[in-house]
Each structure stands twice: as structure tokens, then as C-alpha cells.
Amino acid sequence: MRDMEIDSIDNVFESLFIYEKIALFVKQIGAKRVIDIGCAFGHQSEVFLNEGIHYIGVDEHQIPFWNAQKFDYIVG
């Protein structure tokens, strides 16, 4: 599990600029939340937390989600 999470963190850092662009767009259109399908561990939720945007992560596996105490995660 730990190797999977490290890989997930690496992927987030490589694509962090994409999540920052999404957060900017969400704010520009006045939306209040995002739904991230295929969120993995949800480390990218940190971007939305910093911008005050509600994040909902969706993934097919029950894993220890990042910011689980602050955001909603759906498994299925």
C-alpha cells in the first residue's frame, strides 16, 4: 500500500499545475465543488482545500484517503 501511495504522490506533483488550473476555472465560473472520478488517494484535494472549493473524490477502492476528515469520498 505504501508504494502505491508514494506513486500517487509522484503523479500528483507531476500534474499539480492541472489541478491548479481546474481550481482557477471552478472559481471563475462560480462553482462551489468538484467531483474527481478516479481520485486514487486524493492528494490533489489539497489544491481545492487551499482554494476553499469542496472536493468529492470517487474511486473503486477503499484506501486511506487524503483529507478524508474534510472532504467526501465515494467508493464504488
Side-chain angles (χ1 to χ4, degrees), residues 1-58:
M1 178 71 73
R2 182 160 166 73
D3 289 340
M4 288 174 47
E5 186 170 15
I6 290 170
D7 182 57
S8 180
I9 292 170
D10 286 344
N11 288 330
V12 167
F13 279 122
E14 290 174 2
S15 58
L16 196 59
F17 71 97
I18 294 171
Y19 292 103
E20 291 170 339
K21 284 183 178 183
I22 292 169
L24 178 63
F25 177 75
V26 168
K27 289 184 92 165
Q28 285 176 343
I29 65 170
K32 304 284 186 219
R33 69 177 175 203
V34 297
I35 300 172
D36 184 2
I37 299 172
C39 67
F41 287 86
H43 295 111
Q44 60 277 7
S45 67
E46 201 69 27
V47 172
F48 302 101
L49 177 65
N50 291 337
E51 294 296 330
I53 299 168
H54 185 74
Y55 175 90
I56 300 171
V58 179

Side-chain angles (χ1 to χ4, degrees), residues 54-68:
H54 185 74
Y55 175 90
I56 300 171
V58 179
D59 206 278
E60 61 185 349
H61 302 290
Q62 180 66 48
I63 52 179
F65 295 111
W66 191 255
N67 286 326

